[in-house]
Structure formats: C-alpha cells, structure tokens
Amino acid sequence: MGILEGKRILVTGVITDSSIAFHVARLCQEQGATVVLTGYGRLSLVERIAKRLPDAPPVLELDVTDDDHLASLADRIGEHVDGIDGVVHSIGFTPQDALGGNFLNTTWEDVATAMHTSTFSLKALSTAVLPLMRDSGGSIVAMDFDNSVSYPIYDWMGVAKSGLASTARYLARYLGEHDIRVNLVSAGPLRTMAARSIPGFDTLADSWPQRAPLGWDTGDPEPAARAVVALLSDWFPATTGEMVHVDGGFHSTGA
C-alpha cells in the first residue's frame, strides 16, 4: 500500500513529461492516489502527456488569472472526485522583459503579470479548492526556488518566488483551522520547458552541480517530485509554512 493510498490529488502545471508536475502526478498514482490534472493554453498537449501516466487522469482547463475558471473549479473537480486531499501548485510565468538581467528596466505591467501568475495564484488556487478540502483537511504544496539570495538572470521571477514563499506562510496561518497544511519545495534548477524560457539559464544551472555538496542533476526532476509526494502524505502531519530544499544542498553553501 502506498503512502497516498485513497487520496485525491489535484496537480497543476503538467506541460511535458520532463516537468516536475508530471513526475509528481506519476508518483502520486504509484503511491495509490487518484489524480486530476489542470492545464492552460495547449490543453490538447496536456491531454496527450496525461496518457503517458500509469492511468490517464482527467484534465481540466485552468487559467489561474481567470476569475470564472477559478469560480467553477470546485464544481468541475467534483465531476471526477468527491473531494480533494492534496493540491500541487506548479505554476509560474514571467514576461521575457522581466528576466535575463533587465531588472532595472522592467515595467510594472510585466512585474504585475509575474506576481499575479506566479505568486497570487497560490492564494487564488487554494481558496478555489477550499470547498473540497475544508471538511477533511489536506496538504497544499507549491514549487519554489530558493529566494534567500539574488541570482543572475532570474530577476523579477526571483521577487515573485519570494512573494510565493510569504504567501504560503500566510496561507498556512489562515488554513490551519481547516487542518490544511501549506508547504513549499524549493528545487534546484532543472532543464524543463519553463527553464528553457529563461534567458541565460545555463549561467545559473552550470555552476549548481559543482557547488552542491550532494551534486545536482539538472535533468532529473524525480528528487523534487518525491519531496512533494512526501509532503502530500500523512507523514508530515504537523508541518506547515515550511520550505523543503531539494537542491543537493546548494542553498547551504557559501562561495
């Protein structure tokens, strides 16, 4: 019996089978969970990728910046499962002008887009599914990137991730009364589709394996996915508002 036996998990952010979210969904199913996916934009692509999972799950359209999508989400999920025990927030977007060393020149409009999609969306998603969780509790896990320091080229996405970490702490405070835990997994850089959209990503990624005490494989999302699954399980019943680093230990080292 797996550590998620009988649980119902909503996973956002599956785009390709190289994404962390895909491997989370796969491991969730292997550990006994029923999975529902969301996708946005190229929904047919997400549906094709979903068929590569052990059991092809339903795929729901979700734009986390669309109030109508959010308002109907609980009802649409309810067509497939009678509640939710866990949610995975693996959503982020930053316009190109907000990345790649353009920090001082980025407009508020681009910053606002980054913050809405990458930061506020965690609160928006959490409250949208709350009707499916408030009676039985559960776990919300969001994907982060270490934001205790600045990094080259990451720019306003780094600021958005700092906001995501703070949002998770406040959600942990306010959702605790519903027995809902809210935690973050901070993964090292991975060569996903999202990473390929960051100008100069190799500048950040190439130094990671050398600096991380345990080393780091930028092509292997499974360690991060395993941490997410562990936090979705009942093995962390009193942990909330926490950030778990899955980065080979890079965050703990100096120059």
Side-chain angles (χ1 to χ4, degrees):
M1 189 169 75
I3 63 172
L4 296 181
E5 194 69 34
K7 292 194 180 296
R8 302 148 298 179
I9 308 295
L10 179 72
V11 180
T12 67
V14 173
I15 301 176
T16 70
D17 55 9
S18 68
S19 65
I20 297 174
F22 175 87
H23 289 273
V24 169
R26 174 180 60 81
L27 289 171
C28 283
Q29 289 187 340
E30 291 175 358
Q31 290 299 317
T34 298
V35 171
V36 177
L37 302 183
T38 73
Y40 169 65
R42 292 170 292 180
L43 207 61
S44 60
L45 173 61
V46 180
E47 290 169 343
R48 287 200 301 273
I49 295 299
K51 293 177 182 177
R52 299 180 186 177
L53 291 167
D55 296 300
V59 178
L60 308 179
E61 185 175 19
L62 177 63
D63 175 357
V64 287
T65 66
D66 186 313
D67 289 341
D68 290 336
H69 281 202
L70 291 164
S72 65
L73 182 61
D75 288 340
R76 291 186 287 132
I77 294 172
E79 295 175 4
H80 303 281
V81 290
D82 58 359
I84 287 290
D85 303 293
V87 178
V88 179
H89 178 282
S90 185
I91 298 170
F93 172 74
T94 304
Q96 290 289 296
D97 285 347
L99 297 165
N102 197 44
F103 187 88
L104 297 179
N105 301 313
T106 306
T107 65
W108 164 243
E109 288 75 17
D110 285 340
V111 172
T113 297
M115 297 296 288
H116 193 179
T117 310
S118 307
T119 305
F120 185 78
S121 63
L122 177 57
K123 178 267 178 188
L125 177 62
S126 299
T127 53
V129 300
L130 184 57
L132 299 174
M133 300 182 74
R134 59 161 45 104
D135 292 334
S136 57
S139 175
I140 297 171
V141 183
M143 299 308 306
D144 203 352
F145 187 76
D146 178 56
N147 45 72
S148 60
V149 296
S150 65
Y151 290 97
I153 64 93
Y154 207 49
D155 292 355
W156 285 100
M157 181 58 102
V159 177
K161 289 296 189 181
S162 292
L164 182 72
S166 186
T167 301
R169 288 191 291 270
Y170 277 94
L171 284 170
R173 171 182 289 269
Y174 289 111
L175 295 180
E177 65 181 274
H178 300 292
D179 199 27
I180 296 172
R181 295 167 282 126
V182 184
N183 293 291
L184 300 164
V185 169
S186 175
L190 293 163
R191 297 187 185 281
T192 61
M193 178 177 288
R196 289 197 293 271
S197 69
I198 300 175
F201 173 78
D202 288 343
T203 303
L204 181 61
D206 288 348
S207 64
W208 213 275
Q210 288 74 43
R211 283 271 304 280
L214 295 176
W216 182 250
D217 184 351
T218 59
D220 184 9
E222 181 149 338
R226 288 189 180 191
V228 173
V229 170
L231 288 168
L232 289 170
S233 79
D234 294 332
W235 284 95
F236 286 86
T239 299
T240 194
E242 186 61 84
M243 179 187 293
V244 177
H245 288 85
V246 185
D247 62 357
F250 183 99
H251 74 283
S252 68
T253 66

